[in-house]
Amino acid sequence: MLGEHHDLLHEFPEFRDQIHALKVSNGHFARLFDEYHQLDRQIRRIEQQVEIVPDEEAETLKKRRLQLKDELYRMLRQAAA
């Protein structure tokens, strides 16, 4: 959706503690977290037409964001278990 916040704390508020713990203790999670948020910011800029890119590139960025979100969610569920 246009202009929606997709940061992980909005997406997964129930994992707030796990997000913090993994960012501090797991380098892989921290790198994926940072990449996810950089992509999210870039996609919002594209949606707000601050940054112009071809539609195919925007779709590729959105797919990558979704892949990262899935992987981060899997890691959060494992940490919560």
Side-chain angles (χ1 to χ4, degrees):
M1 295 277 169
L2 183 62
E4 274 190 28
H5 291 279
H6 289 277
D7 66 89
L8 290 183
L9 291 176
H10 278 93
E11 295 288 320
F12 307 124
E14 69 277 17
F15 289 115
R16 177 178 294 276
D17 293 338
Q18 287 84 6
I19 289 170
H20 176 72
L22 286 172
K23 279 176 38 182
V24 172
S25 68
N26 185 317
H28 180 65
F29 182 90
R31 281 187 298 280
L32 294 178
F33 180 91
D34 289 343
E35 182 182 351
Y36 176 88
H37 284 282
Q38 288 173 356
L39 274 173
D40 187 51
R41 282 191 296 273
Q42 184 178 7
I43 290 167
R44 269 191 295 175
R45 289 178 54 83
I46 291 167
E47 290 175 341
Q48 295 167 349
Q49 298 182 340
V50 173
E51 187 176 329
I52 307 299
V53 300
D55 289 344
E56 298 82 23
E57 184 177 340
E59 288 304 312
T60 298
L61 294 172
K62 289 178 182 180
K63 287 177 185 177
R64 176 63 182 150
R65 180 178 64 183
L66 185 58
Q67 290 171 336
L68 288 168
K69 182 178 172 182
D70 287 346
E71 185 168 354
L72 290 163
Y73 179 69
R74 180 187 53 76
M75 294 173 80
L76 289 167
R77 285 189 37 185
Q78 286 177 343

